[in-house]
mmCIF file of all heavy atoms in Angstrom:
data_model
loop_
_atom_site.group_PDB
_atom_site.id
_atom_site.type_symbol
_atom_site.label_atom_id
_atom_site.label_comp_id
_atom_site.label_asym_id
_atom_site.label_seq_id
_atom_site.Cartn_x
_atom_site.Cartn_y
_atom_site.Cartn_z
ATOM 1 N N ASP A 266 68.670 177.588 189.936
ATOM 2 C CA ASP A 266 68.710 176.504 188.978
ATOM 3 C C ASP A 266 69.619 176.899 187.875
ATOM 4 O O ASP A 266 69.782 178.100 187.653
ATOM 5 C CB ASP A 266 67.275 176.178 188.548
ATOM 6 C CG ASP A 266 67.214 174.796 187.856
ATOM 7 O OD1 ASP A 266 68.174 174.005 188.130
ATOM 8 O OD2 ASP A 266 66.258 174.464 187.165
ATOM 9 N N ASN A 267 70.055 175.917 187.135
ATOM 10 C CA ASN A 267 70.865 176.148 185.926
ATOM 11 C C ASN A 267 70.867 174.940 185.147
ATOM 12 O O ASN A 267 70.421 173.960 185.502
ATOM 13 C CB ASN A 267 72.283 176.701 186.214
ATOM 14 C CG ASN A 267 73.192 175.710 186.931
ATOM 15 O OD1 ASN A 267 72.828 174.532 187.005
ATOM 16 N ND2 ASN A 267 74.278 176.191 187.416
ATOM 17 N N GLY A 268 71.314 175.087 183.868
ATOM 18 C CA GLY A 268 71.439 174.101 182.944
ATOM 19 C C GLY A 268 71.510 174.498 181.536
ATOM 20 O O GLY A 268 72.090 175.573 181.289
ATOM 21 N N THR A 269 70.860 173.742 180.629
ATOM 22 C CA THR A 269 70.913 174.214 179.252
ATOM 23 C C THR A 269 69.437 174.358 178.687
ATOM 24 O O THR A 269 68.565 173.810 179.287
ATOM 25 C CB THR A 269 71.709 173.204 178.316
ATOM 26 O OG1 THR A 269 71.013 171.916 178.391
ATOM 27 C CG2 THR A 269 73.110 173.067 178.803
ATOM 28 N N TRP A 270 69.328 174.998 177.558
ATOM 29 C CA TRP A 270 68.074 175.211 176.979
ATOM 30 C C TRP A 270 68.101 175.121 175.420
ATOM 31 O O TRP A 270 69.177 175.324 174.928
ATOM 32 C CB TRP A 270 67.382 176.467 177.371
ATOM 33 C CG TRP A 270 67.863 177.759 176.754
ATOM 34 C CD1 TRP A 270 68.970 178.428 177.140
ATOM 35 C CD2 TRP A 270 67.311 178.436 175.640
ATOM 36 N NE1 TRP A 270 69.063 179.498 176.296
ATOM 37 C CE2 TRP A 270 68.079 179.555 175.436
ATOM 38 C CE3 TRP A 270 66.161 178.191 174.888
ATOM 39 C CZ2 TRP A 270 67.806 180.487 174.427
ATOM 40 C CZ3 TRP A 270 65.927 179.168 173.860
ATOM 41 C CH2 TRP A 270 66.649 180.188 173.685
ATOM 42 N N VAL A 271 67.081 174.762 174.814
ATOM 43 C CA VAL A 271 67.012 174.523 173.474
ATOM 44 C C VAL A 271 65.740 175.142 172.891
ATOM 45 O O VAL A 271 64.618 174.783 173.367
ATOM 46 C CB VAL A 271 67.060 172.979 172.976
ATOM 47 C CG1 VAL A 271 66.982 172.816 171.520
ATOM 48 C CG2 VAL A 271 68.290 172.420 173.601
ATOM 49 N N PRO A 272 65.791 175.935 171.818
ATOM 50 C CA PRO A 272 64.556 176.539 171.230
ATOM 51 C C PRO A 272 63.709 175.308 170.650
ATOM 52 O O PRO A 272 64.303 174.366 170.135
ATOM 53 C CB PRO A 272 65.074 177.457 170.121
ATOM 54 C CG PRO A 272 66.549 177.486 170.333
ATOM 55 C CD PRO A 272 67.005 176.398 171.181
ATOM 56 N N ALA A 273 62.429 175.536 170.749
ATOM 57 C CA ALA A 273 61.553 174.394 170.336
ATOM 58 C C ALA A 273 61.107 174.499 168.833
ATOM 59 O O ALA A 273 60.552 173.596 168.364
ATOM 60 C CB ALA A 273 60.212 174.351 171.196
ATOM 61 N N ASN A 274 61.411 175.604 168.218
ATOM 62 C CA ASN A 274 61.226 175.619 166.731
ATOM 63 C C ASN A 274 62.464 176.122 166.076
ATOM 64 O O ASN A 274 63.518 176.409 166.663
ATOM 65 C CB ASN A 274 60.022 176.413 166.450
ATOM 66 C CG ASN A 274 60.080 177.875 166.846
ATOM 67 O OD1 ASN A 274 61.156 178.383 166.911
ATOM 68 N ND2 ASN A 274 58.971 178.452 167.184
ATOM 69 N N GLY A 275 62.398 176.241 164.753
ATOM 70 C CA GLY A 275 63.646 176.582 164.020
ATOM 71 C C GLY A 275 64.134 177.964 164.038
ATOM 72 O O GLY A 275 65.208 178.228 163.540
ATOM 73 N N ASP A 276 63.299 178.908 164.543
ATOM 74 C CA ASP A 276 63.669 180.310 164.388
ATOM 75 C C ASP A 276 64.865 180.663 165.369
ATOM 76 O O ASP A 276 64.923 180.111 166.463
ATOM 77 C CB ASP A 276 62.527 181.210 164.811
ATOM 78 C CG ASP A 276 61.496 181.336 163.735
ATOM 79 O OD1 ASP A 276 61.880 181.053 162.543
ATOM 80 O OD2 ASP A 276 60.293 181.592 164.052
ATOM 81 N N PRO A 277 65.732 181.537 164.959
ATOM 82 C CA PRO A 277 66.741 182.033 165.904
ATOM 83 C C PRO A 277 66.035 182.684 167.129
ATOM 84 O O PRO A 277 65.040 183.395 167.016
ATOM 85 C CB PRO A 277 67.497 183.064 165.130
ATOM 86 C CG PRO A 277 67.070 182.907 163.714
ATOM 87 C CD PRO A 277 65.769 182.253 163.763
ATOM 88 N N PRO A 278 66.456 182.387 168.293
ATOM 89 C CA PRO A 278 65.825 182.874 169.522
ATOM 90 C C PRO A 278 65.695 184.323 169.619
ATOM 91 O O PRO A 278 64.674 184.857 170.093
ATOM 92 C CB PRO A 278 66.670 182.295 170.773
ATOM 93 C CG PRO A 278 67.453 181.200 170.198
ATOM 94 C CD PRO A 278 67.566 181.354 168.760
ATOM 95 N N GLY A 279 66.761 185.025 169.104
ATOM 96 C CA GLY A 279 66.652 186.488 169.153
ATOM 97 C C GLY A 279 65.427 186.999 168.335
ATOM 98 O O GLY A 279 64.863 188.004 168.728
ATOM 99 N N LYS A 280 65.176 186.292 167.224
ATOM 100 C CA LYS A 280 64.014 186.710 166.406
ATOM 101 C C LYS A 280 62.755 186.442 167.156
ATOM 102 O O LYS A 280 61.804 187.211 167.137
ATOM 103 C CB LYS A 280 64.081 185.956 165.126
ATOM 104 C CG LYS A 280 62.857 186.221 164.114
ATOM 105 C CD LYS A 280 62.962 185.398 162.790
ATOM 106 C CE LYS A 280 61.711 185.618 162.018
ATOM 107 N NZ LYS A 280 61.660 184.720 160.875
ATOM 108 N N SER A 281 62.678 185.222 167.811
ATOM 109 C CA SER A 281 61.485 184.876 168.544
ATOM 110 C C SER A 281 61.165 185.805 169.615
ATOM 111 O O SER A 281 60.053 186.239 169.900
ATOM 112 C CB SER A 281 61.565 183.473 169.118
ATOM 113 O OG SER A 281 61.743 182.473 168.148
ATOM 114 N N LEU A 282 62.237 186.264 170.352
ATOM 115 C CA LEU A 282 62.083 187.284 171.424
ATOM 116 C C LEU A 282 61.656 188.621 170.861
ATOM 117 O O LEU A 282 60.770 189.312 171.398
ATOM 118 C CB LEU A 282 63.293 187.409 172.216
ATOM 119 C CG LEU A 282 63.603 186.136 173.059
ATOM 120 C CD1 LEU A 282 64.998 186.375 173.803
ATOM 121 C CD2 LEU A 282 62.554 185.799 174.073
ATOM 122 N N PHE A 283 62.237 188.909 169.797
ATOM 123 C CA PHE A 283 61.796 190.253 169.075
ATOM 124 C C PHE A 283 60.331 190.284 168.754
ATOM 125 O O PHE A 283 59.634 191.147 168.919
ATOM 126 C CB PHE A 283 62.633 190.497 167.906
ATOM 127 C CG PHE A 283 62.280 191.731 167.121
ATOM 128 C CD1 PHE A 283 62.661 193.073 167.491
ATOM 129 C CD2 PHE A 283 61.545 191.659 165.928
ATOM 130 C CE1 PHE A 283 62.318 194.126 166.810
ATOM 131 C CE2 PHE A 283 61.172 192.775 165.217
ATOM 132 C CZ PHE A 283 61.585 194.039 165.673
ATOM 133 N N LEU A 284 59.895 189.035 168.275
ATOM 134 C CA LEU A 284 58.475 188.933 167.898
ATOM 135 C C LEU A 284 57.560 188.667 169.084
ATOM 136 O O LEU A 284 56.342 188.745 168.901
ATOM 137 C CB LEU A 284 58.341 187.747 166.906
ATOM 138 C CG LEU A 284 59.022 188.029 165.534
ATOM 139 C CD1 LEU A 284 58.973 186.762 164.586
ATOM 140 C CD2 LEU A 284 58.436 189.207 164.757
ATOM 141 N N GLY A 285 58.159 188.337 170.223
ATOM 142 C CA GLY A 285 57.374 188.286 171.535
ATOM 143 C C GLY A 285 56.892 186.921 171.868
ATOM 144 O O GLY A 285 55.932 186.870 172.731
ATOM 145 N N GLU A 286 57.368 185.850 171.324
ATOM 146 C CA GLU A 286 56.957 184.492 171.731
ATOM 147 C C GLU A 286 57.985 183.554 171.505
ATOM 148 O O GLU A 286 58.499 183.439 170.352
ATOM 149 C CB GLU A 286 55.697 184.176 171.008
ATOM 150 C CG GLU A 286 55.110 182.751 171.485
ATOM 151 C CD GLU A 286 53.728 182.489 170.923
ATOM 152 O OE1 GLU A 286 53.010 183.477 170.475
ATOM 153 O OE2 GLU A 286 53.290 181.332 170.983
ATOM 154 N N LEU A 287 58.423 182.897 172.580
ATOM 155 C CA LEU A 287 59.551 181.908 172.513
ATOM 156 C C LEU A 287 59.102 180.617 173.143
ATOM 157 O O LEU A 287 58.616 180.618 174.335
ATOM 158 C CB LEU A 287 60.759 182.409 173.192
ATOM 159 C CG LEU A 287 62.054 181.447 173.289
ATOM 160 C CD1 LEU A 287 62.607 181.233 171.912
ATOM 161 C CD2 LEU A 287 63.082 182.047 174.164
ATOM 162 N N HIS A 288 59.172 179.490 172.462
ATOM 163 C CA HIS A 288 58.964 178.189 173.089
ATOM 164 C C HIS A 288 60.181 177.475 173.088
ATOM 165 O O HIS A 288 61.016 177.547 172.193
ATOM 166 C CB HIS A 288 57.962 177.289 172.108
ATOM 167 C CG HIS A 288 56.597 177.915 171.925
ATOM 168 N ND1 HIS A 288 55.438 177.225 172.322
ATOM 169 C CD2 HIS A 288 56.188 179.207 171.503
ATOM 170 C CE1 HIS A 288 54.446 177.974 172.096
ATOM 171 N NE2 HIS A 288 54.783 179.187 171.630
ATOM 172 N N PHE A 289 60.463 176.774 174.281
ATOM 173 C CA PHE A 289 61.790 176.225 174.512
ATOM 174 C C PHE A 289 61.737 175.108 175.575
ATOM 175 O O PHE A 289 60.787 175.009 176.358
ATOM 176 C CB PHE A 289 62.719 177.347 175.004
ATOM 177 C CG PHE A 289 62.356 178.113 176.269
ATOM 178 C CD1 PHE A 289 62.795 177.804 177.462
ATOM 179 C CD2 PHE A 289 61.374 179.064 176.151
ATOM 180 C CE1 PHE A 289 62.430 178.529 178.548
ATOM 181 C CE2 PHE A 289 60.980 179.861 177.213
ATOM 182 C CZ PHE A 289 61.457 179.547 178.449
ATOM 183 N N ASP A 290 62.748 174.309 175.480
ATOM 184 C CA ASP A 290 62.837 173.195 176.469
ATOM 185 C C ASP A 290 64.046 173.496 177.427
ATOM 186 O O ASP A 290 65.107 173.853 176.981
ATOM 187 C CB ASP A 290 63.160 171.906 175.739
ATOM 188 C CG ASP A 290 61.953 171.451 174.966
ATOM 189 O OD1 ASP A 290 60.829 171.294 175.565
ATOM 190 O OD2 ASP A 290 62.133 171.230 173.714
ATOM 191 N N LEU A 291 63.806 173.333 178.718
ATOM 192 C CA LEU A 291 64.792 173.426 179.692
ATOM 193 C C LEU A 291 65.244 172.103 180.192
ATOM 194 O O LEU A 291 64.536 171.188 180.467
ATOM 195 C CB LEU A 291 64.277 174.203 180.912
ATOM 196 C CG LEU A 291 63.960 175.706 180.752
ATOM 197 C CD1 LEU A 291 63.451 176.226 182.110
ATOM 198 C CD2 LEU A 291 65.056 176.485 180.183
ATOM 199 N N TYR A 292 66.596 172.066 180.374
ATOM 200 C CA TYR A 292 67.307 170.838 180.912
ATOM 201 C C TYR A 292 68.036 171.296 182.100
ATOM 202 O O TYR A 292 69.331 171.480 182.099
ATOM 203 C CB TYR A 292 68.252 170.281 179.852
ATOM 204 C CG TYR A 292 67.449 169.841 178.614
ATOM 205 C CD1 TYR A 292 67.285 170.712 177.568
ATOM 206 C CD2 TYR A 292 66.976 168.488 178.560
ATOM 207 C CE1 TYR A 292 66.588 170.254 176.436
ATOM 208 C CE2 TYR A 292 66.284 168.118 177.409
ATOM 209 C CZ TYR A 292 66.060 168.959 176.397
ATOM 210 O OH TYR A 292 65.395 168.511 175.280
ATOM 211 N N GLY A 293 67.348 171.578 183.220
ATOM 212 C CA GLY A 293 67.966 172.106 184.446
ATOM 213 C C GLY A 293 67.903 170.967 185.515
ATOM 214 O O GLY A 293 67.593 169.834 185.326
ATOM 215 N N VAL A 294 68.296 171.438 186.703
ATOM 216 C CA VAL A 294 68.195 170.510 187.865
ATOM 217 C C VAL A 294 66.866 170.410 188.382
ATOM 218 O O VAL A 294 66.281 169.387 188.697
ATOM 219 C CB VAL A 294 69.137 171.012 189.018
ATOM 220 C CG1 VAL A 294 69.026 170.066 190.243
ATOM 221 C CG2 VAL A 294 70.664 171.034 188.535
ATOM 222 N N LYS A 295 66.134 171.555 188.488
ATOM 223 C CA LYS A 295 64.766 171.656 188.958
ATOM 224 C C LYS A 295 63.712 171.832 187.799
ATOM 225 O O LYS A 295 62.629 171.294 187.865
ATOM 226 C CB LYS A 295 64.639 172.897 189.998
ATOM 227 C CG LYS A 295 65.544 172.733 191.208
ATOM 228 C CD LYS A 295 65.506 174.041 191.974
ATOM 229 C CE LYS A 295 66.525 173.966 193.192
ATOM 230 N NZ LYS A 295 66.663 175.204 193.937
ATOM 231 N N LEU A 296 64.130 172.721 186.924
ATOM 232 C CA LEU A 296 63.216 173.006 185.850
ATOM 233 C C LEU A 296 63.506 172.167 184.630
ATOM 234 O O LEU A 296 64.574 172.152 184.107
ATOM 235 C CB LEU A 296 63.317 174.468 185.408
ATOM 236 C CG LEU A 296 62.973 175.446 186.549
ATOM 237 C CD1 LEU A 296 63.106 176.860 186.122
ATOM 238 C CD2 LEU A 296 61.561 175.246 187.154
ATOM 239 N N ARG A 297 62.478 171.416 184.067
ATOM 240 C CA ARG A 297 62.653 170.608 182.930
ATOM 241 C C ARG A 297 61.421 170.689 182.136
ATOM 242 O O ARG A 297 60.280 170.884 182.614
ATOM 243 C CB ARG A 297 62.953 169.198 183.307
ATOM 244 C CG ARG A 297 64.140 168.983 184.112
ATOM 245 C CD ARG A 297 64.590 167.577 184.351
ATOM 246 N NE ARG A 297 65.140 166.926 183.125
ATOM 247 C CZ ARG A 297 66.430 167.062 182.824
ATOM 248 N NH1 ARG A 297 67.203 167.720 183.532
ATOM 249 N NH2 ARG A 297 66.833 166.422 181.725
ATOM 250 N N GLY A 298 61.468 170.471 180.811
ATOM 251 C CA GLY A 298 60.321 170.388 179.960
ATOM 252 C C GLY A 298 60.087 171.653 179.121
ATOM 253 O O GLY A 298 60.975 172.575 179.131
ATOM 254 N N ARG A 299 58.895 171.670 178.561
ATOM 255 C CA ARG A 299 58.543 172.756 177.537
ATOM 256 C C ARG A 299 58.076 174.003 178.325
ATOM 257 O O ARG A 299 57.021 173.908 178.971
ATOM 258 C CB ARG A 299 57.649 172.174 176.565
ATOM 259 C CG ARG A 299 57.125 173.178 175.532
ATOM 260 C CD ARG A 299 58.129 173.641 174.547
ATOM 261 N NE ARG A 299 58.925 172.631 173.992
ATOM 262 C CZ ARG A 299 58.574 171.938 172.847
ATOM 263 N NH1 ARG A 299 57.371 172.253 172.228
ATOM 264 N NH2 ARG A 299 59.340 170.931 172.343
ATOM 265 N N PHE A 300 58.620 175.109 178.041
ATOM 266 C CA PHE A 300 58.238 176.355 178.626
ATOM 267 C C PHE A 300 57.899 177.399 177.470
ATOM 268 O O PHE A 300 58.321 177.189 176.290
ATOM 269 C CB PHE A 300 59.261 176.982 179.451
ATOM 270 C CG PHE A 300 59.418 176.403 180.782
ATOM 271 C CD1 PHE A 300 60.170 175.188 180.916
ATOM 272 C CD2 PHE A 300 58.911 176.946 181.939
ATOM 273 C CE1 PHE A 300 60.372 174.663 182.108
ATOM 274 C CE2 PHE A 300 59.128 176.354 183.188
ATOM 275 C CZ PHE A 300 59.844 175.206 183.279
ATOM 276 N N VAL A 301 57.064 178.357 177.792
ATOM 277 C CA VAL A 301 56.760 179.403 176.825
ATOM 278 C C VAL A 301 56.938 180.774 177.558
ATOM 279 O O VAL A 301 56.560 180.903 178.676
ATOM 280 C CB VAL A 301 55.347 179.288 176.243
ATOM 281 C CG1 VAL A 301 55.058 180.471 175.244
ATOM 282 C CG2 VAL A 301 55.025 177.903 175.591
#
Side-chain angles (χ1 to χ4, degrees):
D266 199 16
N267 64 11
T269 60
W270 74 279
V271 179
N274 59 31
D276 283 337
K280 178 182 174 188
S281 300
L282 291 176
F283 177 77
L284 294 174
E286 184 167 341
L287 177 67
H288 296 239
F289 54 102
D290 293 304
L291 292 183
Y292 299 88
V294 178
K295 299 170 184 173
L296 299 179
R297 300 187 74 84
R299 177 67 51 86
F300 286 78
V301 179

